[in-house]
Amino acid sequence: MPWDRNQMAARAAQELQDGYYVNLGIGIPTLVANHIPAGVEVTLQSENGMLGIGPFPYEDEIDPDLINAGKQTISELPSTSYFGSADSFAMIRGGHIDLTVLGAMEISEKGDIANWMIPGKMIKGMGGAMDLVAGVKKIIVVMDHCAKDGSPKFIPGCSLPLTGTNVVDMIITDLAVFHRADHDSPFELIELAPGVSAEDVAAKTTAHYDVAV
Amino acid sequence: MPWDRNQMAARAAQELQDGYYVNLGIGIPTLVANHIPAGVEVTLQSENGMLGIGPFPYEDEIDPDLINAGKQTISELPSTSYFGSADSFAMIRGGHIDLTVLGAMEISEKGDIANWMIPGKMIKGMGGAMDLVAGVKKIIVVMDHCAKDGSPKFIPGCSLPLTGTNVVDMIITDLAVFHRADHDSPFELIELAPGVSAEDVAAKTTAHYDVAV
Amino acid sequence: MKRIYPDAQTALEGLLFDGMHLCVGGFGLCGIPERLIDALRDAGVKDLTIASNNAGIENEGLGKLLGSRQVKKMISSYVGENKEFERQFLSGELEVEFCPQGTLAERCRAGGAGIPGFYTKTGVGTQVAEGKEVKNFDGDDYILERGIFADLCLIKGWKADKAGNLIFRKTARNFNAPMATAGKICVAEVEEIVEVGDLDPDAIHLPGIYVKRLISGAPYDKKIEFRMTRERETA
Amino acid sequence: MKRIYPDAQTALEGLLFDGMHLCVGGFGLCGIPERLIDALRDAGVKDLTIASNNAGIENEGLGKLLGSRQVKKMISSYVGENKEFERQFLSGELEVEFCPQGTLAERCRAGGAGIPGFYTKTGVGTQVAEGKEVKNFDGDDYILERGIFADLCLIKGWKADKAGNLIFRKTARNFNAPMATAGKICVAEVEEIVEVGDLDPDAIHLPGIYVKRLISGAPYDKKIEFRMTRERETA
């Protein structure tokens, strides 16, 4: 049985280590915050200028001056600090953030990622995605294994415009987990969702990868 | 009679305009603060990270955490703000400071300035001088007209290592004031100390300049 | 020196011209200079090039200037859901330069800091790198990005003293901080103007040197794009 | 995560090696990490390359490490009056890279911000430009300066909370702010460690992400280089 959104998020959360500073993208990545392992202290960064994101606010705590990078209202913590956008991306670009979890449309076997535009569709922009994949120490992608039409998303080379080249460290899909030790190594299939076989994954993947399950 | 240090500083102070943000170098330039014209509000910047320098502190106000760029104890004002060195020089390099007054060893007729090292002598370093002459909107040099051995300091080309090229806007010596409208124009002699003639100045200057007195 | 103006309209007097370049602070609708945007709209100045992280939504923020067709070009990282934006963009009426968010913030900081260009890894190997110089430092490729320096910067702060020293509040700081420095002149609107000495000199976000003109824009009715809440646990 | 250490010596454990590069905060003797410098001296680590605006004076600040011959190279803007420095420099024992003060500050900020190089007007046409790439932007020449990224950054703050959020005091902020970001790890000493929540989140100068190890170095007996005063007007 493939993993659902929450299970994928929970799997990503297993990569969190005590003391990590983490930036979570919009969508499934946001759910990772609900699965932080016990005893692990993680500080969440929001690229619009905040370290130490709290949960969504109570109705009477809502503050228009306090939003995350998805423009959602949030709350602060006692450890929170605020800063401007230049300082925020100095932090990201400078490699001070330990981990980011992002969604993607396509990932290539070389670790390229495409997640910001589809030619012919209205372009909304890359936001902070290009900065995050270029700067953060470890990049985890969480995405459905296949597109809605059934076509593979982990492929030999991306067909969509890229967000970054050779940047992805780990891919968590609803079917499997792929990982690589460094950016010169190929991805390895290291884990399968319950009831999913390595053959199932192979049938739905065109990227080359090593198998370690 | 040539101008003394205080008179040179007072002359430089006449260039101050209401609302100016000003950085004053060490030595005679520091004295400019004592001659700010009535009705003119000027904010002094210290490149170690402060806007709004106050006077020297009273004995019981001395604070080791509160010094100017010359490492002298100073006081703060109600309008003071503090910032780090990167932000301080962003302000300077970015052209946000209106005026700086600096000393110099040599000035060339092209507006080059040499004020940081003498070959063969111990080099102490340029400190913030190169940043100031490169970044501040208007550069005024205050210096003795001649070196101690009587040789001219306003000369065709500098012999000492440069601090900046084509940056000086005005030169105030103990004998005269030179000014140029822009960095493509030659300097003009625009003012003489009392009892000093244009011929006296010419005899002690090897730089080419126009005469407008 | 006159720094405090009675309203946004007078604060912009003498600063506006057709075809000008602006930097406008804010992230989404958070920390946008609402009063100054309204005054820009009312002034009718046109063919504007605006660097701003977002382009507002319909009838809010910079969306107002899109509605009135005053914008020629946007330099933004994300333009969200704005039907009028989409229409103008797809029809070619509006030019858009997409710039990664961190690159945009740094380009503004650089412009304000006298840095005409810097190298970044962001965007290497992507469309963003097209036409840009690539340089290798210590084995990695970086692209050259240019500083942004506008004719006018418009920002929104929380409080400022009469010397122009300004502080922001929470995530409303965002692009207002770097953009305030990135132009010939910066006009700021704040929620409250306080006396000199009322703000902690160690806690000033933007020194008065950058705030040449200042207005109080209160009262504010701040808009929220995505209102999220959680339930209080019942005892 | 362990962030707070009992003293400077333990805070540096495992971080030191001969030939390493450091960024050390402070301006003159103002805001220098005294305890950490003492611990460096006591550790005896040598052949250090140190980026620091100044090199201390005899037996104060980095002057201590010069006295014990632990420094191979300084990257500084001004090295003031220090006889031992002068002797080592003139005899060729000590290498010095003079760097304009603003360029040094920006190189550290750039290194910490993932920017390997940037262009500046500072130093164009001077000795500082020798061997550096010159590029023309919009009619003016600029030189390429490199970011600095050290093995270890040592800084001095005023207060920090237990999450590492740190504030500086007055002009003791200086180079401590950019240098804290410019290395693989930053160790900070402060005058007081306070509880999480005691500092205003809008007024943090250095977010805890940069402060990986923290000590309280109190009590401090801060040195003054040039003690200047004025007389009280008598009534």
Side-chain angles (χ1 to χ4, degrees):
Chain A
M1 211 174 60
W3 284 315
D4 66 18
R5 291 160 50 92
N6 266 303
Q7 289 168 320
M8 289 160 73
R11 178 59 190 85
Q14 286 177 32
E15 300 301 313
L16 300 173
Q17 292 181 25
D18 192 37
Y20 263 21
Y21 289 85
V22 175
N23 184 296
L24 300 177
I26 297 169
I28 300 179
T30 304
L31 301 176
V32 173
N34 302 332
H35 300 278
I36 298 172
V40 169
E41 209 182 293
V42 162
T43 305
L44 300 179
Q45 201 246 19
S46 193
E47 63 263 34
N48 53 323
M50 181 181 189
L51 266 174
I53 309 179
F56 291 133
Y58 296 122
E59 184 69 31
D60 55 9
E61 280 179 345
I62 281 186
D63 184 338
D65 288 341
L66 183 42
I67 63 170
N68 64 17
K71 292 157 196 162
Q72 298 170 320
T73 48
I74 46 163
S75 67
E76 66 181 21
L77 301 169
S79 61
T80 293
S81 60
Y82 299 104
F83 32 85
S85 298
D87 291 340
S88 183
F89 283 94
M91 200 178 275
I92 290 168
R93 198 188 306 105
H96 304 282
I97 307 283
D98 297 292
L99 179 74
T100 188
V101 184
L102 297 165
M105 300 170 191
E106 293 178 348
I107 302 294
S108 84
E109 62 188 38
K110 303 280 188 206
D112 301 342
I113 175 171
N115 73 348
W116 76 283
M117 69 174 277
I118 299 174
K121 286 210 180 176
M122 168 70 190
I123 309 169
K124 292 183 179 173
M126 69 293 281
M130 286 193 182
D131 309 282
L132 285 161
V133 299
V136 173
K137 282 184 200 147
K138 185 170 183 179
I139 315 290
I140 299 181
V141 167
V142 175
M143 65 178 190
D144 287 334
H145 201 91
C146 295
K148 279 182 188 145
D149 67 0
S151 61
K153 296 175 68 172
F154 182 31
I155 53 187
C158 294
S159 64
L160 296 172
L162 296 176
T163 308
T165 55
N166 192 12
V167 293
V168 177
D169 297 288
M170 181 178 253
I171 307 165
I172 298 170
T173 76
D174 50 333
L175 302 184
V177 180
F178 301 87
H179 176 259
R180 56 178 183 163
D182 56 60
H183 290 187
D184 296 323
S185 305
F187 281 94
E188 279 188 338
L189 173 65
I190 60 167
E191 230 174 292
L192 295 163
V196 174
S197 70
E199 291 69 32
D200 294 338
V201 170
K204 293 178 173 176
T205 311
T206 54
H208 167 267
Y209 57 88
D210 292 346
V211 178
V213 284
Chain B
M1 213 174 59
W3 284 315
D4 65 17
R5 290 160 51 92
N6 265 302
Q7 288 168 320
M8 289 159 73
R11 179 59 190 83
Q14 286 177 30
E15 300 301 314
L16 301 173
Q17 291 181 25
D18 192 39
Y20 263 22
Y21 290 86
V22 175
N23 184 295
L24 299 177
I26 297 168
I28 301 179
T30 304
L31 302 176
V32 172
N34 302 332
H35 299 279
I36 298 172
V40 169
E41 209 181 294
V42 161
T43 305
L44 300 179
Q45 201 246 19
S46 193
E47 62 263 35
N48 54 321
M50 180 183 191
L51 266 175
I53 308 179
F56 291 133
Y58 296 123
E59 184 68 32
D60 56 9
E61 280 178 346
I62 282 186
D63 184 338
D65 288 342
L66 183 41
I67 63 171
N68 64 19
K71 291 155 195 164
Q72 299 169 319
T73 49
I74 46 163
S75 68
E76 66 180 21
L77 301 171
S79 61
T80 293
S81 60
Y82 299 104
F83 32 84
S85 297
D87 290 340
S88 183
F89 283 94
M91 200 178 276
I92 290 169
R93 199 188 307 103
H96 303 282
I97 307 284
D98 297 291
L99 178 73
T100 187
V101 185
L102 296 166
M105 300 169 191
E106 293 178 349
I107 301 294
S108 83
E109 63 189 37
K110 302 279 189 208
D112 300 342
I113 175 170
N115 73 349
W116 77 282
M117 71 172 278
I118 299 174
K121 287 207 179 178
M122 168 69 191
I123 309 168
K124 292 182 178 173
M126 69 292 282
M130 286 192 183
D131 309 282
L132 284 162
V133 300
V136 173
K137 280 185 201 147
K138 183 170 183 178
I139 316 289
I140 299 182
V141 168
V142 174
M143 65 176 187
D144 288 332
H145 201 90
C146 295
K148 278 180 189 144
D149 67 1
S151 60
K153 297 174 69 172
F154 183 30
I155 53 187
C158 294
S159 63
L160 297 172
L162 296 177
T163 307
T165 55
N166 192 11
V167 292
V168 177
D169 296 288
M170 181 178 253
I171 308 165
I172 299 170
T173 75
D174 49 335
L175 303 184
V177 179
F178 302 88
H179 177 259
R180 55 178 184 164
D182 58 58
H183 290 187
D184 296 322
S185 305
F187 281 95
E188 279 188 339
L189 172 66
I190 59 166
E191 229 172 293
L192 295 163
V196 174
S197 70
E199 291 71 31
D200 295 337
V201 170
K204 293 178 172 175
T205 311
T206 54
H208 167 269
Y209 58 88
D210 292 346
V211 179
V213 284
Chain C
M1 203 198 79
K2 182 174 168 167
R3 192 186 311 263
I4 299 169
Y5 287 73
D7 55 42
Q9 186 195 335
T10 52
L12 293 180
E13 258 172 26
L15 303 180
L16 305 181
F17 57 95
D18 290 348
M20 71 187 299
H21 287 234
L22 292 105
C23 282
V24 180
F27 180 91
L29 299 180
C30 181
I32 54 171
E34 301 180 36
R35 302 286 169 265
L36 292 163
I37 291 170
D38 283 350
L40 263 187
R41 182 199 51 200
D42 296 345
V45 62
K46 57 184 196 296
D47 291 331
L48 304 176
T49 293
I50 303 181
S52 176
N53 189 55
N54 315 95
I57 59 173
E58 267 178 282
N59 301 320
E60 291 296 341
L62 293 175
K64 292 178 182 178
L65 303 181
L66 293 166
S68 54
R69 310 284 199 87
Q70 291 172 263
V71 184
K72 188 177 78 179
K73 179 180 175 182
M74 290 296 307
I75 304 172
S76 300
S77 87
Y78 190 83
V79 293
E81 348 283 311
N82 183 332
K83 285 253 160 61
E84 177 60 18
F85 184 100
E86 192 167 336
R87 195 196 60 69
Q88 291 185 24
F89 180 36
L90 294 178
S91 71
E93 288 166 57
L94 177 67
E95 191 183 339
V96 182
E97 176 184 334
F98 284 105
C99 179
Q101 193 175 148
T103 296
L104 180 60
E106 189 66 18
R107 288 177 68 191
C108 293
R109 182 199 175 270
I115 293 171
F118 62 91
Y119 291 94
T120 176
K121 228 185 244 187
T122 301
V124 169
T126 75
Q127 282 190 2
V128 163
E130 283 170 19
K132 288 174 188 162
E133 182 195 313
V134 177
K135 192 187 277 287
N136 193 287
F137 292 91
D138 305 326
D140 286 320
D141 282 343
Y142 296 82
I143 55 174
L144 177 63
E145 290 281 1
R146 295 296 309 271
I148 287 177
F149 196 76
D151 298 301
L152 173 64
C153 308
L154 303 182
I155 65 151
K156 158 77 166 50
W158 183 32
K159 294 181 183 182
D161 70 20
K162 290 177 176 172
N165 294 308
L166 186 149
I167 59 174
F168 301 104
R169 184 170 176 275
K170 302 186 191 283
T171 58
R173 192 180 322 180
N174 58 58
F175 276 85
N176 287 296
M179 283 183 166
T181 69
K184 290 177 197 157
I185 185 166
C186 170
V187 182
E189 61 179 85
V190 293
E191 298 180 37
E192 189 185 353
I193 296 174
V194 301
E195 293 302 319
V196 169
D198 282 358
L199 301 177
D200 177 357
D202 273 325
I204 303 298
H205 297 136
L206 187 67
I209 189 169
Y210 293 110
V211 181
K212 300 298 187 198
R213 299 189 184 187
L214 179 63
I215 63 161
S216 166
Y220 282 91
D221 172 30
K222 300 171 190 169
K223 300 293 189 298
I224 292 172
E225 283 186 73
F226 300 104
R227 189 183 190 89
M228 304 294 287
T229 57
R230 73 186 196 276
E231 297 277 307
R232 256 204 175 82
E233 299 77 6
T234 45
Chain D
M1 203 197 77
K2 182 177 167 164
R3 191 187 310 263
I4 299 168
Y5 287 73
D7 54 44
Q9 187 196 333
T10 52
L12 293 180
E13 261 172 24
L15 302 180
L16 304 182
F17 58 93
D18 291 346
M20 71 189 296
H21 286 233
L22 292 106
C23 283
V24 179
F27 181 91
L29 299 179
C30 181
I32 54 171
E34 301 180 35
R35 304 283 169 268
L36 292 163
I37 291 170
D38 284 351
L40 263 188
R41 182 198 50 200
D42 296 345
V45 63
K46 55 184 197 297
D47 291 330
L48 304 176
T49 294
I50 304 182
S52 175
N53 190 54
N54 314 95
I57 60 173
E58 268 178 280
N59 303 317
E60 291 297 340
L62 294 175
K64 294 177 182 178
L65 302 181
L66 292 167
S68 54
R69 310 282 200 88
Q70 291 172 262
V71 184
K72 187 178 78 177
K73 179 179 174 182
M74 291 295 307
I75 305 172
S76 301
S77 87
Y78 190 83
V79 294
E81 347 284 312
N82 183 333
K83 284 253 161 60
E84 178 60 18
F85 184 99
E86 193 167 335
R87 195 196 61 68
Q88 292 184 24
F89 181 35
L90 294 177
S91 72
E93 289 167 56
L94 178 67
E95 191 184 338
V96 183
E97 176 182 335
F98 284 104
C99 179
Q101 194 175 147
T103 297
L104 180 60
E106 188 66 20
R107 288 177 66 192
C108 293
R109 183 201 174 272
I115 292 172
F118 61 91
Y119 291 93
T120 175
K121 229 186 241 185
T122 301
V124 169
T126 76
Q127 281 189 4
V128 164
E130 284 171 18
K132 289 175 187 161
E133 183 194 315
V134 177
K135 193 187 277 283
N136 193 287
F137 291 92
D138 304 326
D140 287 319
D141 281 343
Y142 296 81
I143 57 176
L144 176 63
E145 292 280 2
R146 294 295 309 270
I148 287 177
F149 195 75
D151 298 301
L152 174 62
C153 308
L154 304 180
I155 65 150
K156 158 76 166 51
W158 181 33
K159 295 181 183 181
D161 69 22
K162 289 176 176 172
N165 294 308
L166 187 149
I167 59 173
F168 302 104
R169 185 170 174 274
K170 302 186 191 281
T171 58
R173 193 181 320 181
N174 58 61
F175 276 86
N176 287 297
M179 282 183 168
T181 68
K184 289 177 197 158
I185 184 166
C186 170
V187 182
E189 61 179 88
V190 294
E191 299 180 36
E192 190 185 353
I193 296 174
V194 301
E195 293 302 320
V196 170
D198 282 359
L199 301 177
D200 176 358
D202 273 326
I204 303 299
H205 297 137
L206 187 67
I209 189 170
Y210 293 110
V211 181
K212 299 299 186 199
R213 299 189 184 187
L214 178 64
I215 63 161
S216 166
Y220 282 91
D221 171 28
K222 300 171 192 170
K223 301 293 188 300
I224 291 173
E225 283 187 73
F226 301 104
R227 190 181 190 88
M228 304 294 286
T229 58
R230 72 186 198 277
E231 296 278 306
R232 250 198 182 89
E233 298 78 5
T234 45

